[in-house]
Amino acid sequence: MTPHILVAGGGIAGLTAALALHAAGFGHVTVVEAAPVIRPVGAGLNIMPNAVRELDALGLLDELEADAVRTRELRYYHRSGGLISSEPRGLGAGYHWPQLSVHRGHLQRVLADAVRRRIGPSAIVTGVRVTGLEQLPDGRPRVRLEHREGARAGRASLEPDVLIGADGIRSAVRAALNPREGEPPWNGMLVWRGVSRLDARRAGRFMLIAGDDRCKAVVYPMAERPSGEVLVNWALAMPADRIAGTPRGGTLRGSSPGSFRGDWNRAVPVSDFLHHYEGWEFDGVSLPEVLRAADAAHEYPMVDREPLLRWSHGRTTLIGDAAHAMYPIGSNGATQSVIDARALAHAMAHHPDPARALAAYEAERRPAMTELQRANRRQGPEVVINLAHRRAPGGFDRIDDVIPPHERREIAARYAATGAFDPETVNAGSPYEVPVSAP
């Protein structure tokens, strides 16, 4: 009998999991998504070659690249404009797969369309939220669902063979498994994100990360239009206590993100923060110009999750941000969600007992993701901009006198090894390929 696998969450992790499970021979997969419609919303993502490899294995690369930019170079800058380091990325760094900058909405649309084509139009059910669960004696979950829209409005329960919690940093599945955990801890930093439309001559051809230990900017092109216009993704970070009108106590780790303004994802005018970045220009990319060209801006608290000692309970497990939400450093949020999905499908295909399959998946992924969460709290590879500012707050003439080349290389290599996305590991090929046969 084909097991019924319920995936809670129609984001990157959940949709990739559905496709990976289908590719591994599991035909009865349902994705429930709380939003009434899966819309192409959000800002940009940078997908590392290890995740692009897995998306390619699922037959999605050509469609994904149709509206994405290959990230060829990453540059780190001192806030004064000095270049700290420049690294080739993707194919230029020796990978067999590119690194991609892409709008989150495009990636989500590609995934959702593939789920509907391959599994069926009813494989994604929107307007349905998980509100709780309990574990039955045989390990199966009994999932409580709330239908939020139209004629289906109401409550129901379902007993799938497997439940996958892919419902993000504020996961209802995780909360049910860890009822005393509470809100994600806030580190006192605010993040602003948005998308701008610029002439290609002003957009830059590289990804840049600039600033210091108190103020940071990430900017990169992610889509090109026939008109010559380029969509540019940007993300900024600054301590909340530097923003006029914010509570001074907000810098303490563990403060509730809701204690700042009560909104998790708040639309704000660019003028609220633009003045903090006046004069920031990096090899022809003017940050004020990028910000003034923004479609909109949204404000978030910078939060993550404490590493869990356990992801899987019987036939229920977690993937993506629900399992290991981390600070937005090193392009690892969406990247590791894709890897989770493929690893989970691989484990399910190789272990007939679902509980053993989920345990095997967790044994592989949880230790590595715990270390990556901790590495991101230490700023990962972006620590080079902190070091440059600390050692040369006024700028520098020669970066080699501030951070020697060998130290810069060691920082980058150490982080790549932590996330298992060094070229040698990635180019060895996917460890998650399985012969397709109906379970």
Side-chain angles (χ1 to χ4, degrees):
M1 181 178 176
T2 301
H4 179 207
I5 303 173
L6 182 67
V7 180
I12 307 305
L15 294 171
T16 308
L19 290 170
L21 287 162
H22 178 264
F26 295 90
H28 192 187
V29 182
T30 305
V31 178
V32 293
E33 165 57 40
V37 179
I38 295 181
R39 292 192 178 97
V41 297
L45 298 170
N46 211 256
I47 310 296
M48 299 292 283
N50 53 335
V52 175
R53 176 192 67 192
E54 301 307 325
L55 293 168
D56 187 25
L58 291 172
L60 301 172
L61 183 55
D62 288 345
E63 191 176 355
L64 186 57
E65 280 209 88
D67 199 20
V69 168
R70 290 188 175 187
T71 307
R72 293 179 170 86
E73 184 182 9
L74 170 61
R75 300 181 185 180
Y76 292 100
Y77 290 93
H78 192 279
R79 64 176 299 160
S80 65
L83 181 65
I84 297 170
S85 68
S86 175
E87 305 170 5
R89 310 297 282 186
L91 301 177
Y95 291 94
H96 294 168
W97 289 269
Q99 181 171 327
L100 295 180
S101 297
V102 61
H103 195 287
R104 176 185 291 275
H106 174 59
L107 173 56
Q108 193 169 13
R109 182 172 55 246
V110 167
L111 294 169
D113 288 350
V115 169
R116 293 186 176 110
R117 283 196 313 269
R118 298 177 188 183
I119 306 177
S122 61
I124 301 174
V125 183
T126 57
V128 175
R129 179 189 300 276
V130 172
T131 59
L133 68 96
E134 60 183 286
Q135 191 170 320
L136 299 174
D138 63 358
R140 286 184 304 124
R142 175 178 289 146
V143 187
R144 293 192 296 277
L145 303 171
E146 181 180 87
H147 296 259
R148 308 176 66 199
E149 299 285 331
R152 295 181 306 174
R155 294 182 174 86
S157 65
L158 192 66
E159 296 178 7
D161 295 288
V162 175
L163 173 64
I164 299 170
D167 46 346
I169 191 169
R170 305 182 91 179
S171 165
V173 177
R174 177 173 175 140
L177 298 175
N178 303 274
R180 293 187 291 181
E181 184 176 32
E183 289 285 319
W186 181 34
N187 70 353
M189 297 285 285
L190 288 179
V191 177
W192 298 286
R193 299 198 69 176
V195 176
S196 299
R197 301 170 188 272
L198 292 177
D199 184 281
R201 293 168 293 184
R202 304 295 298 162
R205 304 290 297 176
F206 50 86
M207 178 180 184
L208 72 85
I209 301 175
D212 56 33
D213 56 352
R214 301 288 288 170
C215 195
K216 187 176 74 172
V218 179
V219 182
Y220 55 85
M222 62 177 179
E224 299 171 344
R225 297 290 177 256
S227 64
E229 188 178 65
V230 175
L231 296 187
V232 176
N233 183 74
W234 52 267
L236 314 174
M238 181 180 289
D241 62 5
R242 291 188 58 182
I243 311 301
T246 62
R248 289 293 174 182
T251 56
L252 296 176
R253 162 167 277 281
S255 299
S256 168
S259 68
F260 174 56
R261 282 179 179 161
D263 292 330
W264 183 261
N265 174 10
R266 179 176 182 266
V268 296
V270 171
S271 58
D272 274 11
F273 51 85
L274 174 61
H275 58 286
H276 292 287
Y277 298 91
E278 291 290 357
W280 284 41
E281 184 167 337
F282 310 99
D283 287 329
V285 177
S286 166
L287 185 53
E289 181 181 358
V290 170
L291 298 179
R292 290 189 181 100
D295 292 345
H298 287 82
E299 180 180 81
Y300 309 76
M302 187 181 287
V303 296
D304 65 356
R305 279 294 192 184
E306 295 293 341
L308 287 175
L309 297 177
R310 184 179 180 186
W311 291 355
S312 302
H313 297 250
R315 296 188 182 192
T316 298
T317 197
L318 304 171
I319 67 172
D321 281 352
H324 50 69
M326 59 189 76
Y327 291 158
I329 289 169
S331 302
N332 267 295
T335 290
Q336 296 300 337
S337 294
V338 169
I339 303 296
D340 283 352
R342 288 277 284 168
L344 175 60
H346 181 267
M348 289 283 294
H350 282 83
H351 296 274
D353 177 9
R356 289 184 179 274
L358 301 189
Y361 150 74
E362 178 182 334
E364 179 199 346
R365 294 294 294 161
R366 187 175 59 79
M369 292 303 95
T370 294
E371 183 53 38
L372 200 58
Q373 286 178 285
R374 291 171 176 160
N376 278 16
R377 286 184 174 179
R378 299 190 296 268
Q379 301 300 302
E382 296 172 21
V383 74
V384 294
I385 64 175
N386 300 0
L387 290 175
H389 175 71
R390 192 178 309 140
R391 297 174 186 178
F396 49 81
D397 294 321
R398 294 182 70 254
I399 185 58
D400 289 356
D401 296 333
V402 180
I403 310 176
H406 71 86
E407 186 176 3
R408 302 198 301 269
R409 288 193 298 269
E410 287 172 2
I411 289 170
R414 184 166 58 247
Y415 188 72
T418 299
F421 48 81
D422 57 284
E424 183 178 359
T425 300
V426 174
N427 291 345
S430 175
Y432 304 120
E433 294 292 352
V434 296
V436 176
S437 57

